[in-house]
């Protein structure tokens, strides 16, 4: 038996057979071959080309849309392209290296060359080259045949890392649990596994290098533990632990119909975060008072082509109608960072500080306008609120609001009905926006604090990097002071403030946030009842007292210990793990 300890990312215990997956994002290793091994390497490479072609052809014939077919046709043509394929073969022969290294080297050079031209068409071709190289890599690693989108049995997925778009394309009905070698608790892939209710452990060291396909494995997503080839006593211990956890979950169901009112009558709004329309059922089941964050960019990852106005309209309408009369806050697309949508030319050295969210939208107004029109059209089917991500200052906010008014004018001219009273908000997740909260507050109807990014940018710590996860501290005085200032400025300007980052769902944070004056918390529906139970068992006065003490403290270590002790005195073990 081997045990790996990592980050508890999504609750629950899962048992099953391992399926090892190597992420497309992992770089190839340079392996030298002998001169008399060249023929063998070339035939391995040619076999990979055939496998990749069969795989693409199969996908082409699987009833996909015309746009997806066009993209696949280009990819199929490129697999015949002597310029690319011959160059790889030549690279293997002259440099005596393995196929993977040759694919990576030729692809990198070709992509750089195409991008240097500055020509838009050729830059798009660079993306096609990258896509094709990934298909070839998968085929070489033997994953071309292992269709993650079409698994034929239940598995525990064990991977080095995973991109949100990769998870999206997988058949999640057969993924019982996930172990990743890397990742952080607030990375988008972690947010998605929680939304899909897949028990998951992140930063599980080298689990993917130790486990083999078909090994027995148990994932404990609540304690952050991965057991490879577990012995009987451990399996029994985990069964008992899981049974207790299920009892605790069942107990929480009593909270579904109750309001979130603290013991002295102070009430809070608890809303849910969603990534896809199918999550609306879970939102209704947990009794949320609305949707506080719909991450609309995930609609853009569901297929190979950009969603049309009609497709977006139908998705927004469906969510608004199902939730009506409760409010739904849809965030305009936050593409970029770790949320890559293929075909948009987002491939940057430093994506988190780069062409992301409203920065992307303001330079691709063609794409942004389609979304704003779809939102306006859908607004008559429920209570829509719109918010904009990654606002860094007033110029950006003004530009976005200006464009929104322009799209409204178009709709009026075309006699397209829309709700004239849609509330608009700014996300506050960039430190400059937090510092200018008083300025921004005068322009919008509400704020929503995105602490996942606010923490990342305030402490300068990548939210997805397990090596520095110890620095990612919600209780850092710099973060707490920033939140306090945002709340203060919002209230001075008579607008409400919500918090929709993962901090809202962390039981250690929710009482503190209530005490800091937050009007609303928005979180994954799987956490909402726990937070409601907590808030219903303390008074607002106690929460304010806690906030006052914590805001005087000078280190996150001290704050962490202080809050844990405060919680241990009042709540059960499951609330504080
Ligand atoms: C945040 O940054 O806290 C947030 C809610 O947005 P996302 O997690 O999608 O970046
Ligand atoms: Mg964010």
């Amino acid at each position: 038996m081997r045990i790996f300890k990592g980050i508890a990312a999504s609750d629950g215990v899962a048992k099953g057979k391992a399926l090892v997956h190597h992420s497309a994002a992992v770089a190839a290793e340079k392996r030298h071959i002998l001169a008399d091994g060249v023929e063998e390497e070339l035939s391995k490479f040619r076999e990979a080309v055939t496998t990749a072609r069969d795989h693409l052809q199969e996908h082409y014939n699987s009833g996909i849309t015309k746009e997806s077919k066009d993209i696949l046709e280009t990819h199929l043509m490129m697999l015949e392209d002597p310029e690319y394929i011959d160059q790889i073969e030549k690279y293997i022969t002259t440099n005596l290296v393995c196929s993977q290294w040759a694919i990576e080297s030729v692809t990198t050079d070709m992509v750089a060359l195409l991008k240097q031209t500055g020509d838009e068409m050729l830059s798009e071709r660079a993306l096609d080259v990258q896509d094709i190289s990934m298909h070839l890599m998968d085929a070489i690693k033997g994953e071309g045949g292992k269709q993650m989108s079409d698994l034929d049995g239940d598995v525990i997925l064990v991977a080095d890392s995973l991109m949100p778009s990769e998870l999206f394309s997988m058949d999640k009905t057969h993924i019982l649990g996930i172990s990743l070698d890397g990742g952080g608790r607030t990375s988008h892939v972690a947010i998605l596994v929680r939304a899909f209710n897949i028990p998951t452990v992140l930063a599980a060291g080298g689990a993917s290098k130790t486990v083999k396909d078909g090994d027995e494995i148990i994932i404990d997503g609540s304690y952050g533990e991965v057991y490879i080839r577990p012995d009987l006593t451990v399996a029994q211990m985990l069964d008992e632990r899981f049974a207790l956890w299920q009892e605790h979950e069942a107990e929480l169901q009593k909270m579904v119909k109750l309001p979130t009112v603290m013991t002295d009558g102070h009430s809070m709004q608890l809303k849910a975060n969603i990534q896809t329309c199918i999550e609306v059922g879970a939102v209704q089941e947990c009794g949320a008072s609305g949707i506080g964050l719909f991450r609309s960019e995930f609609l853009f990852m569901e297929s190979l082509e950009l969603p049309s106005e009609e497709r977006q309209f139908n998705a927004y309408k469906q969510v608004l109608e199902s939730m009506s009369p409760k409010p739904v806050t849809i965030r305009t697309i936050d593409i970029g960072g770790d949320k890559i949508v293929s075909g948009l030319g987002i491939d940057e050295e430093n994506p988190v500080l780069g062409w992301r969210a409203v920065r992307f939208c303001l330079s691709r107004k063609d794409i942004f306008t389609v979304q704003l029109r779809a939102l306006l059209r859908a607004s008559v089917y429920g209570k829509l609120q719109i918010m904009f991500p990654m606002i860094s200052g007033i110029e950006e906010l003004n530009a976005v609001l200006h464009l929104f008014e322009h799209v409204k004018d178009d709709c009026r001219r075309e006699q397209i009905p829309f709700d004239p009273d849609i509330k608009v908000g700014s996300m506050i997740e960039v430190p400059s926006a937090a510092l200018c909260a008083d300025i921004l507050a005068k322009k919008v109807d509400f704020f929503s604090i995105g602490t996942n990014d606010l923490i990342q940018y305030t402490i300068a710590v990548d939210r997805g990097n397990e090596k520095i996860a110890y620095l990612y501290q919600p209780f850092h005085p710099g973060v707490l002071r920033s939140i306090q200032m945002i709340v203060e400025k919002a209230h001075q300007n008579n607008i409400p403030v919500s918090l929709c980052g993962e901090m809202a769902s962390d039981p250690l944070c929710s009482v503190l946030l209530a005490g800091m004056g937050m009007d609303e918390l928005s979180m994954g529906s799987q956490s909402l009842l726990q937070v409601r139970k907590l808030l219903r068992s303390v008074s607002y006065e106690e929460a304010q007292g806690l906030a006052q003490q914590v805001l005087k403290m000078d280190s996150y270590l001290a704050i962490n210990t202080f809050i844990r002790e405060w919680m241990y005195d009042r709540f059960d073990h499951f609330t504080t793990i």
Side-chain angles (χ1 to χ4, degrees):
M1 177 173 74
R2 288 288 305 269
I3 305 173
F4 287 86
K5 179 90 186 123
I7 298 172
S10 177
D11 280 335
V13 171
K15 290 181 193 180
K17 298 231 180 290
L19 175 66
V20 185
H21 170 75
H22 290 289
S23 165
V26 173
E29 273 178 44
K30 185 173 189 176
R31 188 171 53 79
H32 284 285
I33 55 170
L34 297 172
D36 61 6
V38 167
E39 264 323 304
E40 195 187 324
E41 197 63 34
L42 285 177
S43 79
K44 192 169 141 195
F45 173 65
R46 285 171 196 146
E47 231 174 81
V49 176
T50 313
T51 311
R53 194 183 300 130
D54 292 349
H55 180 197
L56 288 180
Q57 193 65 53
E58 216 177 283
H59 193 35
Y60 185 89
N61 296 333
S62 65
I64 54 172
T65 60
K66 157 102 182 56
E67 288 85 348
S68 303
K69 282 196 164 173
D70 290 346
I71 298 172
L72 285 181
E73 259 165 30
T74 317
H75 289 180
L76 279 164
M77 259 157 48
M78 286 194 55
L79 280 174
E80 312 279 344
D81 181 1
E83 208 190 321
Y84 183 52
I85 300 299
D86 289 1
Q87 265 197 59
I88 297 173
E89 294 200 0
K90 208 160 142 208
Y91 199 96
I92 296 172
T93 317
T94 41
N95 296 292
L96 296 179
V97 288
C98 65
S99 327
Q100 274 169 278
W101 188 257
I103 296 170
E104 179 144 310
S105 307
V106 171
T107 306
T108 310
D109 290 351
M110 196 177 255
V111 166
L113 216 71
L114 289 167
K115 282 191 176 163
Q116 261 169 26
T117 59
D119 180 296
E120 203 175 319
M121 283 259 294
L122 291 177
S123 295
E124 271 171 31
R125 202 175 130 85
L127 279 176
D128 291 328
V129 176
Q130 269 167 335
D131 264 6
I132 282 297
S133 75
M134 282 192 199
H135 288 297
L136 287 172
M137 290 285 203
D138 279 353
I140 285 190
K141 285 187 273 176
E143 286 175 5
K146 193 198 283 174
Q147 295 272 312
M148 299 302 293
S149 57
D150 189 17
L151 295 166
D152 49 12
D154 290 347
V155 296
I156 304 277
L157 183 73
V158 185
D160 37 23
S161 70
L162 205 60
M163 297 291 280
S165 52
E166 284 181 283
L167 182 61
F168 245 86
S169 65
M170 290 176 176
D171 175 4
K172 286 164 289 291
T173 52
H174 285 303
I175 300 181
L176 304 179
I178 297 182
S179 160
L180 299 183
D181 291 353
R185 210 182 175 280
T186 65
S187 61
H188 286 102
V189 82
I191 291 168
L192 282 179
V193 289
R194 285 194 284 279
F196 296 135
N197 274 320
I198 306 176
T200 298
V201 176
L202 298 178
S208 83
K209 288 174 198 78
T210 305
V211 76
K212 293 191 191 50
D213 278 349
D215 273 352
E216 287 295 332
I217 181 166
I218 305 183
I219 302 285
D220 187 335
S222 309
Y223 285 79
E225 290 162 2
V226 177
Y227 296 84
I228 298 171
R229 299 178 290 276
D231 55 39
L232 204 61
T233 26
V234 163
Q236 277 166 352
M237 180 272 285
L238 289 172
D239 279 346
E240 282 162 25
R241 201 197 258 178
F242 185 48
L244 283 175
W245 180 77
Q246 279 180 314
E247 265 173 41
H248 167 79
E249 287 295 295
E251 187 64 24
L252 287 180
Q253 289 306 310
K254 293 186 185 147
M255 296 286 131
V256 171
K257 294 218 163 74
L258 301 178
T260 313
V261 180
M262 301 177 81
T263 56
D264 50 4
H266 179 82
S267 86
M268 290 275 298
Q269 295 293 317
L270 292 194
K271 291 186 181 165
N273 295 349
I274 62 165
Q275 287 60 234
T276 56
C277 301
I278 48 166
E279 291 170 71
V280 172
V283 175
Q284 284 161 334
E285 277 166 28
C286 75
S289 58
I291 289 177
L293 166 65
F294 178 1
R295 291 182 164 95
S296 65
E297 59 276 9
F298 286 97
L299 262 181
F300 287 61
M301 287 185 201
E302 285 173 353
S303 70
L304 281 173
E305 75 267 24
L306 291 176
S308 62
E309 180 180 317
E310 209 51 32
R311 191 154 160 254
Q312 290 189 58
F313 162 71
N314 283 320
Y316 306 145
K317 172 174 178 259
Q318 187 194 330
V319 175
L320 282 160
E321 272 182 339
S322 329
M323 290 301 297
S324 184
K326 292 179 177 173
V328 174
T329 305
I330 302 186
R331 173 176 80 181
T332 59
I333 45 174
D334 180 7
I335 283 172
D338 62 351
K339 289 176 283 194
I340 300 302
V341 174
S342 61
L344 292 177
I346 306 176
D347 175 21
E348 300 181 293
E349 294 270 311
N350 199 351
V352 172
L353 294 182
W355 200 34
R356 186 183 160 184
V358 287
R359 301 162 182 196
F360 170 84
C361 288
L362 287 171
S363 60
R364 287 298 308 261
K365 292 200 177 99
D366 51 333
I367 295 174
F368 195 26
T369 306
V370 170
Q371 177 170 45
L372 293 174
R373 276 178 70 93
L375 285 168
L376 283 170
R377 283 175 58 200
S379 65
V380 291
Y381 294 94
K383 191 161 172 3
L384 172 67
Q385 307 197 138
I386 297 179
M387 68 182 178
F388 304 107
M390 289 280 293
I391 294 289
S392 64
I394 193 74
E395 294 79 5
E396 227 162 16
L397 183 58
N398 281 340
V400 167
L401 294 174
H402 180 76
L403 185 70
F404 188 41
E405 287 309 312
H406 189 75
V407 179
K408 279 187 191 167
D409 287 344
D410 284 348
C411 287
R412 277 188 205 102
R413 235 185 339 269
E414 292 170 46
Q415 299 190 332
I416 296 173
F418 63 86
D419 174 3
D421 298 318
I422 301 171
K423 291 206 172 7
V424 289
S426 171
M427 284 198 74
I428 305 288
E429 44 187 355
V430 178
S432 58
L435 290 165
C436 296
D438 54 331
I439 303 172
L440 302 178
K442 298 188 173 61
K443 294 278 176 176
V444 288
D445 302 307
F446 65 95
F447 278 163
S448 186
I449 310 179
T451 43
N452 302 338
D453 279 314
L454 187 64
I455 298 169
Q456 145 163 284
Y457 296 128
T458 301
I459 313 180
V461 52
D462 179 348
R463 64 195 256 195
N465 186 339
E466 73 285 358
K467 293 192 194 71
I468 46 167
Y470 67 96
L471 282 176
Y472 191 93
Q473 292 294 343
F475 293 142
H476 190 298
V479 173
L480 296 181
R481 285 176 190 197
S482 185
I483 296 175
Q484 184 195 24
M485 191 174 71
I486 300 164
V487 174
E488 215 174 86
K489 300 299 173 199
H491 289 168
Q492 277 167 9
N493 285 281
N494 302 315
I495 62 166
V497 56
S498 166
L499 188 147
C500 64
E502 295 304 294
M503 241 180 122
S505 63
D506 183 345
L508 290 182
C509 301
S510 36
V511 177
L512 172 67
L513 293 171
M516 287 172 79
M518 209 62 67
D519 300 294
E520 174 184 309
L521 296 175
S522 189
M523 66 201 80
S525 9
Q526 70 285 355
S527 309
L528 194 136
L529 296 179
Q530 174 70 75
V531 173
R532 176 173 291 158
K533 185 172 176 214
L534 261 177
L535 293 174
R536 283 179 55 87
S537 53
V538 290
S539 68
Y540 187 47
E541 204 183 328
E542 274 178 285
Q544 281 178 313
L546 174 73
Q548 272 161 18
Q549 297 206 51
V550 161
L551 286 163
K552 280 191 224 134
M553 298 173 81
D554 59 9
S555 93
Y556 65 74
L557 284 176
I559 297 175
N560 208 317
T561 312
F562 181 77
I563 294 197
R564 277 182 190 277
E565 278 168 10
W566 198 91
M567 302 280 292
Y568 287 144
D569 288 347
R570 291 166 174 80
F571 304 108
D572 64 26
H573 155 76
F574 278 105
T575 308
T576 43
I577 48 171

